[in-house]
Structure formats: C-alpha cells, structure tokens
Amino acid sequence: MGIQQETHPSNPNQVPLIKVQNLTKKFADITAVDKISFDVRHGELFGFLGPNGAGKTTTINMLIGLARPDSGMIRVSNLELTKNPKFAQHLIGVVPDESNLYPELSGFDNLSFCGALYGLSKSEREARARELLETFSLKDAAHRKFAGYSRGMKRKLTIAAGMIHRPQILFLDEPTSGIDVASARQIRQLIADLHHNGTTIFLTTHYIEEAERLCDRIAFIVKGQIVRIDTVKDLLVPVQEKHRMIISIVHSGEALSIDLASLFPDFKFQSLSSEEIRIESVNPIRVGPLIKVLEDHQIEVKEARLQRPSLEDVFVQITGIEADAMRKEKERGTGNA
Amino acid sequence: MKAWIAFWNILLKDMRAYYLKPPNISWGLIFPIAWTGMFFIKSGSGIESILSLLPGVISISILFGTTSMLAVTVTFEKKNRSFERLLLAPIPLEVLMLAKTAGAILFGVVNAFVPVILALFLTDLSQVNWMAVFPAVVMIAIASAFLGLFIAVSVSEVFEAQTFSNFFRFPMIFLCGLFFPIKSLPIFLRPLSYVFPLTYGVDILHGAINNQNSMPISLDFLIITTFCAGLFTISLRNIHRKWIT
Ligand SMILES: Nc1ncnc2c1ncn2[C@@H]1O[C@H](COP(=O)(O)OP(=O)(O)O)[C@@H](O)[C@H]1O
Ligand SMILES: [Mg+2]
C-alpha cells in the first residue's frame, strides 16, 4: 500500500476512496450528524469546515469505527463498513482532536508501539519512527517522556503516530487547534507535503483560512448537516466578482452624518467599527470621489485598502455564521488560541 | 503474524509501563508474604497447618494481584483515551483483550508462587500434586483477570473499578472456601459460593495439596473454564456496546 497514488491529482471519475450516504447519528435528543452524504477521492485533501459542535468529530468517529451510525452507509476503498468497521482499519490512520499517546513512554517508544499495533516488524517500525521524528523535528525529544512534551510537540507526535503504518487515508481532527502558532504553521506545511505525496486526507477544522489554504474540496457542516460541498476554486467564484475595500478614518467621536449610500448608489456600505467602513461593489471601486466627499465633511481618511475576497465571505454567506463568532466560540471552548 | 506482533507488544508495553514498576513489584511480593505470614501465624497450630492454609493463601494472592491491575491497564487507558488507539488497530477485539489481560494473568501466576516458595522452606511439599496445582493456578489467574476485566469495562473511573472490585473480593475470601470449607457456611450463604469461579479453583488446590476437594477435580476445571469463557464474552460485549457508542 504505497502512499504514492497514480491518480493524484484527484480524478472525479474514479471510484471514491470514501463514500458516505445519508449518514445519521443521534445522541439522546440531539442529531449530531444529520443525513450527510459525500465522497472523498483518491489523493484528495477533503476538508470538513464548521463551528464547534457541528458534528465533525462524530462524523470521523463513525468513519473510523469508534461510533456506530444510526443509519446510512459508509464505504472505504469499496469495503462496506456499516456492519464491520474493522474491515478497513489497516488502511486508515487517525489523529484525534486530543493527543492520546502514552504519557509514560518516550516519543520514540510511542511511535514504535503504534507501529506494532499495525503489525510492523521491529526493524521496520523503528526505522519509520526515526524517519518521522526527523520529519516532525522531534529528534532531540525522541527519548524524553511524552508527558513532558509541550502541546505543540504532543500534537506533532500524535500526527506522526497516525502515519506510522503509511496509511492510505489520514483522518486529522482539528490538527492545529489549541497549539502554538509556530507548531501550527509547521503542521500545516507537513499536511501540505503529505497531500503532495499522494496521501488522501480527511481534515476537520474550524479555521476558515486553514481550510482555504490546504483543502482541495470543502464541505461546510453546520448543526450536523452539510450545507455545501465544492472545490475551493468554485466556492470562491461568487465572491471573486466582487470588489471590496476597507476605509479607515480618524474617529471624530460623532456618528458619521453623511448619507454615503445615496451619494454612491453603486456601492454597498457597511460600518465595521467607528473607524472602519467596508465598501463592496460589482465594479472596480473608484476611490477618489469617495475620499473627497469624506474630506469635504472634515473626516480624515487614514487608509484605504483593497480586500481580497476570501472563503470567509463565502462561508458567512452560505451558513449565516459570522466567522469572528466562530473563532471566539472555539477559543473559549479550548481556553487556547 | 501481524496480530501476534500487536499482541506481544501490547503485553510488553503493559509490563514495562505498569507491572514492572517498583511499586507493583514490591506490592506483588509483599502482599502474598503478608497474607502468608498473617494466616500461618494466626492459625497458631504450628507448621502442619501450613498445607491446609496454602490453597487459600495462593488464591488470595492471585485474586488481589490480578483484579486491581485491570483498573489501570483498561479503565485508566479508556479514561485518558489511549485505549481508542487499541480499538482502532486492525486486530480482532478478542486478541486485543487477551493481550490486555495476559499481563495480569502472568502477574497473578507469579504472585501465586510467592507463598508456595515460602512454604517450601517451612514444610514438606512432597505430597503435593503439582500437575493439578499449576493448571489450577493458571485458571484462577485467568478467572480473576477476567473478573477484573468485567469490572474494568463496567465503570468509567479508576476509583470505581477499585471500589467495585473490593465489593467482590472481600466477600470472596469468605464465600469461596479459601480458609474454611463451604460446608461450614450458613446454609443461606452457600448458593452464593457457587456463583464465584474462585470456589472451583480453590477446590482444585485443596484437592491437589491436601487431598480435600469437595467436587471431582475435572468438574472443577470444567466449571472454572466455563466461567472464564462467560466473563470474557460478556466483557467483550460490554466493550462493543458501551465503548463504540
Ligand atoms: N458521546 C456523546 N454523547 C452525547 N452527545 C454528544 C456526544 N458526542 C458528541 N455529542 C454532541 O453531538 C454534537 C456534535 O459534536 P461533535 O461531533 O463533537 O462536534 P464538532 O467535532 O464539530 O465540534 C454536539 O452537540 C455534541 O454535544
Ligand atoms: Mg470536534
């Protein structure tokens, strides 16, 4: 089971590696996952983007065999898993949202043990462990106990453990949440490299920029339902035709008294704060007349900058969830940025 | 072959991480020695009584050495979620749980021989039928480990596992015929004796060491084996039902 797939980049006509249909999971009175359907293609980096409690982890748990679906179908590599999730467990690697390695063991011993669980011989798994420790820049900590690792190091070793047996599909549940910025950046780079080498990746995240940067295709999941699945490129089409500018002004202490909307009917104005105005327009924004009007009213313009339309806009448009709210909610949840 | 590599490494990891830790080694030695000393001295009837006490002391050493270990190797690992790794490994659940209990079984067998070795210095063991003692010790260790497993998968906190196992262990000392025959129990308690697998293991030891078994030894073996199979099956079913939600 080499990780180098002939089919990369993903080919929509091939039989998908993961096929999910009408998958549903209820916990008592809440429907955590509600009739979701999607495919993950060979070599693809597929993202599940949604706020806290959307049903991302529950979906992963059903795909890997830690949770039993109430209804629906799961196929991995054309094996029907709904009845027996053990069928495909040798093909998949799992990186849970919380590091769950053995605190008592060193980094190296943890990796070697995980390799043994997949039946790798001693020489095979130790060579692989050394290779992964090198890749994740954990070589110096290889023989220190896992318990003493920082959060970022723990997460990195947990990802390495998920890859020890060179799985065809890697499940990553919020791989960069709750860790330091530098580790998060390194992990994103590693995920990109892994994807580049042909591993199929199923990634969940609540970071919109992360999904945009890494994923081939993204499913927006809200309250257990998938509201949209598309390639990042296609998701961005509707916003790409828009022009957007942010104008910063010096706050005068009074509310803006000019009716900009009637003076510039082509523009859509939104006041972001007392010092920032957002302007959207279908046509290129001509900034001269606008600044002139503002300055004529003694409003000093500090800066006018174009804003690249991003997935965030699409997400907000489709889900109605403000991106900031999602970020904050999550930070409160984990107590960590 | 692959499942064997997994089995062996799970066992090895548990040994290194839990069983071979100094507190457990000393506990595993001191506990049987304490039991042995306590009962041999308490009985006050001299060296001859050692043989009649030996089956009970062996059993108690296995029971206490074994049952508490599963609270750590299973309940604790479930709690800190590392058990999920094992559930995700491409090995049958049966193999996985046998690996998780094998350490405790070995530990129990080792514990059993602490009083035997002590007795060796104190009395004549030439009449002992070792061919029955060895398998009986192994069966008692398996039954105790599976009882520990049953408890460990029925609770979610380590302290609950410990409390729950004491709920079984202390009554078993009296109910299973360790130090006095079941016949001497009040009649209404006697049926209880027969629901514990330990009763049958102890009976084999009484037979093999003192020739004082109350049932045919082959029947004892049959019943204790059935108990083991039952406890293991129920534990696996509980894991399926409760841990794969
Ligand atoms: N074991 C469980 N028991 C009860 N409710 C659960 C359980 N696991 C998840 N949930 C609920 O299911 C919903 C989805 O949770 P989850 O899949 O963890 O979301 P996400 O990973 O997207 O943050 C949440 O409302 C959560 O509270
Ligand atoms: Mg989650």
Side-chain angles (χ1 to χ4, degrees):
Chain A
M1 47 166 168
I3 54 165
Q4 218 74 28
Q5 301 275 342
E6 295 276 328
T7 49
H8 183 70
S10 51
N11 169 3
N13 298 322
Q14 212 186 8
V15 178
L17 197 49
I18 304 176
K19 186 164 188 64
V20 168
Q21 273 174 355
N22 293 322
L23 198 62
T24 300
K25 177 75 184 171
K26 293 192 176 88
F27 290 111
D29 54 345
I30 50 164
T31 306
V33 172
D34 194 1
K35 285 201 175 155
I36 59 168
S37 303
F38 60 90
D39 292 346
V40 179
R41 300 162 192 159
H42 281 271
E44 181 172 50
L45 204 169
F46 187 86
F48 243 43
L49 176 64
N52 212 0
K56 303 182 295 292
T57 300
T58 306
T59 304
I60 287 200
N61 283 344
M62 286 191 281
L63 296 179
I64 63 180
L66 284 184
R68 222 172 264 122
D70 289 316
S71 61
M73 187 215 64
I74 303 168
R75 266 171 192 282
V76 172
S77 193
N78 238 347
L79 300 162
E80 164 80 55
L81 295 199
T82 329
K83 294 270 145 53
N84 191 352
K86 283 259 162 216
F87 283 161
Q89 283 185 336
H90 62 288
L91 300 175
I92 65 174
V94 179
V95 181
D97 52 355
E98 250 176 74
S99 299
N100 67 344
L101 287 161
Y102 299 92
E104 286 290 302
L105 302 187
S106 69
F108 181 81
D109 289 342
N110 261 302
L111 293 185
S112 176
F113 176 72
C114 292
L117 290 180
Y118 290 84
L120 302 188
S121 73
K122 193 174 166 70
S123 59
E124 221 178 332
R125 62 182 189 258
E126 291 191 343
R128 178 81 174 135
R130 274 189 286 272
E131 179 191 328
L132 285 168
L133 286 164
E134 176 87 53
T135 313
F136 284 80
S137 10
L138 289 170
K139 226 169 110 187
D140 294 338
H143 297 287
R144 271 167 42 201
K145 275 191 183 176
F146 182 70
Y149 280 23
S150 72
R151 283 176 84 101
M153 290 160 79
K154 280 185 176 163
R155 185 65 55 83
K156 286 196 283 182
L157 196 76
T158 310
I159 297 176
M163 297 165 50
I164 191 90
H165 56 297
R166 300 179 195 275
Q168 271 192 29
I169 313 168
L170 189 64
F171 289 90
L172 292 161
D173 197 1
E174 310 230 10
T176 60
S177 71
I179 58 173
D180 61 286
V181 180
S183 300
R185 189 181 306 127
Q186 196 190 1
I187 286 172
R188 275 187 212 111
Q189 188 55 51
L190 284 159
I191 294 170
D193 292 346
L194 203 62
H195 173 43
H196 190 74
N197 289 332
T199 306
T200 306
I201 297 172
F202 184 102
L203 171 115
T204 75
T205 183
H206 68 275
Y207 294 122
I208 300 174
E209 314 82 58
E210 176 172 289
E212 176 175 2
R213 207 146 85 222
L214 291 173
C215 298
D216 295 321
R217 284 194 310 141
I218 298 176
F220 290 169
I221 179 167
V222 182
K223 291 185 184 143
Q225 294 179 328
I226 292 181
V227 290
R228 176 86 187 266
I229 305 180
D230 224 326
T231 60
V232 175
K233 203 166 133 255
D234 286 344
L235 283 168
L236 285 172
V237 167
V239 288
Q240 249 153 4
E241 285 152 9
K242 273 204 194 122
H243 298 266
R244 171 184 286 189
M245 182 174 279
I246 308 281
I247 291 191
S248 305
I249 55 175
V250 175
H251 182 43
S252 62
E254 294 163 32
L256 210 57
S257 57
I258 335 155
D259 185 4
L260 291 169
S262 64
L263 288 169
F264 301 94
D266 289 350
F267 298 170
K268 217 176 104 196
F269 293 94
Q270 193 191 354
S271 152
L272 299 177
S273 68
S274 56
E275 301 191 332
E276 279 193 328
I277 307 166
R278 182 162 72 189
I279 304 156
E280 274 179 5
S281 161
V282 186
N283 300 311
I285 298 169
R286 287 182 57 226
V287 71
L290 185 65
I291 293 179
K292 187 162 186 308
V293 168
L294 288 169
E295 299 208 317
D296 285 353
H297 286 79
Q298 270 80 47
I299 296 164
E300 193 184 329
V301 176
K302 271 198 293 195
E303 185 186 35
R305 59 182 193 275
L306 276 173
Q307 203 183 41
R308 190 178 63 91
S310 72
L311 194 65
E312 187 167 319
D313 308 313
V314 186
F315 186 82
V316 173
Q317 221 173 64
I318 294 177
T319 64
I321 299 173
E322 275 299 330
D324 277 345
M326 186 151 119
R327 236 172 260 139
K328 291 210 184 77
E329 177 195 337
K330 194 71 190 188
E331 279 160 22
R332 231 186 302 120
T334 60
N336 230 309
Chain B
M1 182 57 200
K2 288 197 164 178
W4 171 244
I5 292 178
F7 178 94
W8 177 241
N9 281 279
I10 291 170
L11 173 58
L12 218 56
K13 192 225 89 195
D14 280 356
M15 298 262 242
R16 286 211 193 102
Y18 308 119
Y19 296 97
L20 297 180
K21 283 286 151 72
N24 276 324
I25 293 186
S26 52
W27 181 249
L29 288 174
I30 288 169
F31 209 66
I33 292 173
W35 286 117
T36 313
M38 194 166 97
F39 283 104
F40 289 177
I41 292 162
K42 180 81 188 358
S43 66
S45 41
I47 298 291
E48 321 77 67
S49 70
I50 285 183
L51 278 185
S52 65
L53 290 172
L54 196 55
V57 180
I58 292 177
S59 308
I60 212 170
S61 302
I62 303 175
L63 183 65
F64 277 74
T66 308
T67 39
S68 44
M69 296 314 296
L70 276 304
V72 181
T73 62
V74 175
T75 315
F76 173 71
E77 290 196 358
K78 173 66 174 71
K79 181 88 186 148
N80 77 9
R81 291 186 55 187
S82 52
F83 203 86
E84 283 174 16
R85 285 197 175 275
L86 307 177
L87 290 174
L88 290 176
I91 45 172
L93 191 60
E94 292 79 8
V95 175
L96 165 63
M97 294 324 290
L98 283 176
K100 291 303 279 180
T101 44
I105 294 169
L106 281 177
F107 193 65
V109 171
V110 170
N111 271 241
F113 286 96
V114 174
V116 172
I117 290 166
L118 283 180
L120 210 53
F121 291 106
L122 298 172
T123 190
D124 173 22
L125 297 180
S126 61
Q127 299 308 307
V128 173
N129 174 7
W130 297 108
M131 296 303 286
V133 170
F134 284 117
V137 163
V138 173
M139 286 318 292
I140 295 173
I142 295 176
S144 306
F146 288 180
L147 180 67
L149 176 66
F150 171 77
I151 293 166
V153 300
S154 306
V155 299
S156 48
E157 302 285 344
V158 174
F159 80 89
E160 289 173 327
Q162 273 148 0
T163 313
F164 198 15
S165 50
N166 283 337
F167 178 79
F168 280 102
R169 291 190 296 201
F170 286 103
M172 279 163 81
I173 298 177
F174 302 102
L175 291 173
C176 296
L178 266 63
F179 300 103
F180 40 84
I182 291 165
K183 283 197 236 41
S184 65
L185 287 174
I187 189 123
F188 65 95
L189 281 179
R190 270 183 237 168
L192 266 181
S193 302
Y194 294 98
V195 302
F196 292 112
L198 191 61
T199 301
Y200 307 93
V202 175
D203 196 52
I204 305 172
L205 291 179
H206 279 303
I209 295 172
N210 303 308
N211 227 342
Q212 279 177 355
N213 45 315
S214 59
M215 280 191 276
I217 282 185
S218 52
L219 184 63
D220 282 325
F221 269 117
L222 185 71
I223 296 175
I224 196 171
T225 308
T226 311
F227 263 107
C228 290
L231 281 170
F232 191 63
T233 312
I234 295 169
S235 302
L236 289 200
R237 193 171 305 158
N238 278 345
I239 291 174
H240 261 296
R241 218 192 49 220
K242 294 176 59 178
W243 290 0
I244 301 173
T245 48

